[in-house]
Amino acid sequence: GLADEMHMILGISTEAGELLDAYKKHFAYGKNLDKVNVEEEIADIMWYISNLCRILNINFEDILQRNIDKLRARFPEKFDEENALNRDLTKERAILEGKY
């Protein structure tokens, strides 16, 4: 239910904050990047994401593929600022909805 969804969403946010903190320590304080901690936080984020997908009955692989398809439509050759700023949102939405 909604409580489980909120648990997962809050967990994603919390773990993303912990990942940011690892990088803050590296960039702001000059500490070595703790790669083991970074890996742990990424894994924690993925755990919450995979559980949110399970709760919502979302196929994780399908949504990742649709996102790749959207990005290929947006950037046919490679990333460029022009295409990033002038997107065909209607086409992208159709791709994400599996209608393109």
Side-chain angles (χ1 to χ4, degrees), residues 40-51:
E40 176 192 9
E41 303 311 340
I42 291 170
D44 288 344
I45 292 166
M46 295 304 296
W47 185 87
Y48 282 108
I49 289 171
S50 67
N51 276 290

Side-chain angles (χ1 to χ4, degrees), residues 6-81:
M6 286 304 299
H7 178 196
M8 296 306 117
I9 293 165
L10 292 168
I12 292 165
S13 178
T14 300
E15 298 300 337
E18 292 179 13
L19 180 60
L20 282 168
D21 190 56
Y23 276 89
K24 176 190 74 178
K25 290 174 182 172
H26 177 59
F27 288 113
Y29 306 145
K31 293 185 175 187
N32 289 333
L33 182 64
D34 184 345
K35 190 174 177 202
V36 172
N37 181 242
V38 167
E39 291 171 351
E40 176 192 9
E41 303 311 340
I42 291 170
D44 288 344
I45 292 166
M46 295 304 296
W47 185 87
Y48 282 108
I49 289 171
S50 67
N51 276 290
L52 182 60
C53 287
R54 178 186 53 77
I55 291 166
L56 295 173
N57 197 29
I58 294 172
N59 184 297
F60 190 58
E61 291 177 9
D62 288 348
I63 63 172
L64 289 176
Q65 184 60 56
R66 287 196 305 263
N67 196 62
I68 290 168
D69 295 342
K70 174 198 74 176
L71 292 171
R72 283 188 178 142
R74 186 183 304 167
F75 307 111
E77 300 296 322
K78 63 178 184 171
F79 174 84
D80 67 63
E81 289 185 25

